């Protein structure tokens, strides 16, 4: 019964705006222990859907080693041959956004091959994804699609072996979603070469590999950071605010003018890696028009799965707003420092477009789908994934306080290096071409984070 209640909450109730988040949390508090027990049972019954391959290639992050990319050990692809036909390969599929996307793919009926070196994630996430996907399909009376896992650094030669094995088995990789990049602004300033090596060189080698295996559908995790100084113009950012080839566009006054390619005012090496990566992808697409490359420009992904079972769970110390607020709410950190209260915004704190990670994950499924539709003609296309609604840092804090029914101690400090005052998405391109839009609010994000924190404390 509790299980059915969870299914109904998860599939519909949690999205019902008439229910308060606090009521839902109360429900979840009561049922979550029973739920986990049930999910574990279901998982053991259906564990044959999940195959885990340990290629044992040591993970490298800038923190562990800025200069060493290890060679992989020999892959052990036992069991790979007994698999279905077509997979979406998710690089970095156990990380924050990757895990939520992997779950959404499974729920949409895709077989998924996750490649992750666990450098900033945990293998346990695989069973959490399996639990949630199994429950989803169980409710429909069906078995979940296949979920396979290869523990490896996507930059090692083991990747070639993996793709060869799948090809030899008659399976195909219908698309690749690439999350396996470094993402810390401050770390990129301290270790720029490590960022360029993974986010740029790693990408180039990956693309050469995909070319060899004739994989055309490629979804790339880009960032609103590529808009650089344009963020501060006080208008929602449009995809055409950063292009990689000059194009003729009609400006806001109806005059046709040349929109010059290139970025201005990028604030950090991390941002530059995203810009370079997009430019490389655009060049590749021009040379190979049959490619279907989609660069998704994320705004500020926050929140977690509504059950709290999947959440942001990095190995590295987080510096982004939501995880820092969470750490203050839990008492792990004494107070939040608000970076800047003199921005030209409604309360002086910076404005961001916070997008719920489940909405973001759904955006990837829309991108994979649209790229394989006959209506898609461009070899390279960029889309903003945001809500179109800006929220200030102070509003986020208030939202978290309401969800947790606790005060978040905060002090106002100076602006942080590399920050912009405002960054909000124009969402019309994603809506019209991908048929996707975000539906969740910052309150939903705060509520789900709080659910995850409560769950974690049990
Ligand atoms: C940055 C990057 C973005 C990247 C994201 C994920 C830029 C311009 N943006 O987003 O591309 O995808 O990180 O790593 O490079 N804040 C505080 N106190 C804190 C933490 C944050 O006040 O302790 C404020 C920040 O100053 C900012 C807002 O909260 O105004 C959001 O910060 P954060 O969550 O770190 O994301 P961004 O800097 O917007």
């Amino acid at each position: 019964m509790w299980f059915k209640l969870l299914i109904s909450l998860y599939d519909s109730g949690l999205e019902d705006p008439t229910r308060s988040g606090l009521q839902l949390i109360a429900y979840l508090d009561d049922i979550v222990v029973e739920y986990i027990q049930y999910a574990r049972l279901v998982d053991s019954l259906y564990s044959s859907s999940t195959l885990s391959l340990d290629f044992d290639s040591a993970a490298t992050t800038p923190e562990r080693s800025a200069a060493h990319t290890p060679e992989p050990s020999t892959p052990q692809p036992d069991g790979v041959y007994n698999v279905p036909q077509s997979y979406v390969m998710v690089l970095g599929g156990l990380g924050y956004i990757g895990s939520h996307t992997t779950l959404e793919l499974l729920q949409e009926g895709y077989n998924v091959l996750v490649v992750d070196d666990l450098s900033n994630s945990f293998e346990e996430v695989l069973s959490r994804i399996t639990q949630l996907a199994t429950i989803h399909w169980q409710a429909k009376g069906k078995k979940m699609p296949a979920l396979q896992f290869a523990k490896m650094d996507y930059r090692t030669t083991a990747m070639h072996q993996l793709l060869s094995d799948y090809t030899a088995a008659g399976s195909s990789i219908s698309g690749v979603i690439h999350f396996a990049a470094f993402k810390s602004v401050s770390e990129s300033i301290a270790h720029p070469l490590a960022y360029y090596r993974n986010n740029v060189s790693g990408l180039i080698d990956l693309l050469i590999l995909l070319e060899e295996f004739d994989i055309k559908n490629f979804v790339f995790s880009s960032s609103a950071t590529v808009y650089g100084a344009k963020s501060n113009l006080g208008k929602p950012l449009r995809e055409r605010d950063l292009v990689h080839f000059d194009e003729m566009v009609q400006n806001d006054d109806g005059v046709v003018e040349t929109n010059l390619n290139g970025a201005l005012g990028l604030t950090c090496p991390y941002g530059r890696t995203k810009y370079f990566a997009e430019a490389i992808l655009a060049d590749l697409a021009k040379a190979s028009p049959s490619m279907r490359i989609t660069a998704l420009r994320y705004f500020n992904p926050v929140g977690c799965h509504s059950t709290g079972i999947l959440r942001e769970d990095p190995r590295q110390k987080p510096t982004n707003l939501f995880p820092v607020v969470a750490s203050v709410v839990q008492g792990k950190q004494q107070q939040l420092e608000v970076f800047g209260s003199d921005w030209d915004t409604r309360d002086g704190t910076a404005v961001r477009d916070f997008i719920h990670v489940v909405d973001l994950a759904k955006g990837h499924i829309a991108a994979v789908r649209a790229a394989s539709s006959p209506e898609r003609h461009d070899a390279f296309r960029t889309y903003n994934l945001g809500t179109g609604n800006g929220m200030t840092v102070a509003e986020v804090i208030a939202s978290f306080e309401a969800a947790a029914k606790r005060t978040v101690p905060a002090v106002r400090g100076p602006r942080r290096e590399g920050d912009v005052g405002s960054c909000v998405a124009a969402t019309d391109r994603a809506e019209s071409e991908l048929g996707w839009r975000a539906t969740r609010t910052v309150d939903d994000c705060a509520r789900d984070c709080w659910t995850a924190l409560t769950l974690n404390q049990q």
Side-chain angles (χ1 to χ4, degrees), residues 304-380:
C304 63
H305 191 268
S306 57
T307 60
I309 304 277
L310 286 183
R311 59 180 184 271
E312 188 165 15
D313 190 14
R315 288 180 190 269
Q316 291 160 19
K317 187 171 180 271
T319 54
N320 295 114
L321 182 63
F322 257 70
V324 174
V325 172
S327 151
V328 173
V329 167
Q330 286 176 296
K332 290 185 183 165
Q333 194 173 316
Q334 231 178 14
Q335 60 187 18
L336 170 79
E337 182 177 355
V338 177
F339 299 131
S341 47
D342 56 348
W343 296 105
D344 184 17
T345 62
R346 48 187 173 262
D347 59 26
T349 64
V351 166
R352 293 289 183 276
D353 187 335
F354 295 96
I355 173 169
H356 195 292
V357 68
V358 172
D359 281 333
L360 190 79
K362 289 177 186 290
H364 291 75
I365 283 77
V368 166
R369 196 173 281 144
S372 48
S373 126
E375 281 162 37
R376 163 83 182 247
H377 300 297
D378 297 303
F380 176 77

Side-chain angles (χ1 to χ4, degrees), residues 45-357:
L45 291 174
Y46 285 85
S47 56
S48 58
S49 294
T50 307
L51 178 65
S52 180
L53 307 171
D54 187 351
F55 288 76
D56 200 28
S57 57
T60 49
T61 69
E63 297 210 325
R64 288 187 193 189
S65 158
H68 176 63
T69 303
E71 284 301 307
S73 58
T74 310
Q76 304 291 322
D78 295 344
V80 162
Y81 299 103
N82 191 17
V83 295
Q85 285 295 305
S86 177
Y87 288 82
V88 174
M89 183 162 76
V90 183
L91 307 178
L94 299 188
Y96 174 44
I97 303 171
S99 59
H100 287 84
T101 302
T102 298
L103 175 62
E104 289 298 326
L105 283 165
L106 291 168
Q107 292 184 167
E108 287 295 317
Y110 291 91
N111 300 310
V112 182
L113 167 59
V114 166
V115 174
D116 197 306
D117 67 0
L118 306 181
S119 59
N120 198 26
S121 60
F122 297 91
E123 193 162 352
E124 192 209 337
V125 172
L126 194 68
S127 59
R128 290 173 179 243
I129 295 170
T130 309
Q131 287 166 7
L132 291 166
T134 304
I135 287 169
H136 174 89
W137 284 104
Q138 176 84 353
K140 294 181 188 296
K142 293 183 181 166
K143 199 173 164 183
M144 69 175 255
L147 170 60
Q148 315 243 331
F149 172 52
K151 178 179 174 293
M152 65 166 72
D153 183 334
Y154 80 97
R155 296 171 291 170
T156 58
T157 50
M159 269 292 282
H160 191 279
Q161 187 63 49
L162 183 71
L163 289 173
S164 299
D165 288 338
Y166 272 72
T167 308
S171 293
S172 65
I173 303 294
S174 58
V176 173
I177 308 180
H178 177 33
F179 295 105
F182 298 148
K183 62 173 186 179
S184 160
V185 170
S186 57
E187 194 177 62
S188 79
I189 294 168
H191 301 287
L193 294 183
Y195 270 67
Y196 289 122
R197 190 179 57 180
N198 183 16
N199 294 10
V200 181
S201 302
L203 172 70
I204 293 170
D205 290 342
L206 172 65
L207 292 169
I208 291 168
L209 193 64
L210 299 189
E211 203 164 49
E212 184 182 334
F213 285 90
D214 202 30
I215 297 170
K216 310 259 183 221
N217 189 341
F218 184 69
V219 177
F220 175 71
S221 299
S222 189
S223 165
T225 192
V226 297
Y227 291 115
K230 290 204 172 161
S231 295
N232 279 326
L233 296 180
K235 293 191 290 196
L237 291 152
R238 300 163 300 184
E239 288 83 354
R240 74 183 216 193
D241 289 325
L242 172 66
V243 295
H244 299 286
F245 297 105
D246 294 356
E247 58 184 27
M248 301 307 287
V249 293
Q250 206 171 40
N251 70 18
D252 295 339
D253 302 323
V255 179
V256 175
E257 59 184 16
T258 307
N259 188 18
L260 289 175
N261 79 85
L264 279 176
L266 298 176
T267 56
C268 62
Y270 161 75
R272 266 186 276 280
T273 67
K274 291 296 174 189
Y275 168 66
F276 292 155
E278 276 199 14
I280 289 163
L281 290 168
D283 283 338
L284 171 63
K286 191 168 195 185
S288 307
S290 63
M291 288 295 292
R292 290 292 175 267
I293 298 172
T294 310
L296 299 177
R297 295 174 176 166
Y298 307 159
F299 281 67
N300 285 66
V302 294
C304 63
H305 191 268
S306 57
T307 60
I309 304 277
L310 286 183
R311 59 180 184 271
E312 188 165 15
D313 190 14
R315 288 180 190 269
Q316 291 160 19
K317 187 171 180 271
T319 54
N320 295 114
L321 182 63
F322 257 70
V324 174
V325 172
S327 151
V328 173
V329 167
Q330 286 176 296
K332 290 185 183 165
Q333 194 173 316
Q334 231 178 14
Q335 60 187 18
L336 170 79
E337 182 177 355
V338 177
F339 299 131
S341 47
D342 56 348
W343 296 105
D344 184 17
T345 62
R346 48 187 173 262
D347 59 26
T349 64
V351 166
R352 293 289 183 276
D353 187 335
F354 295 96
I355 173 169
H356 195 292
V357 68

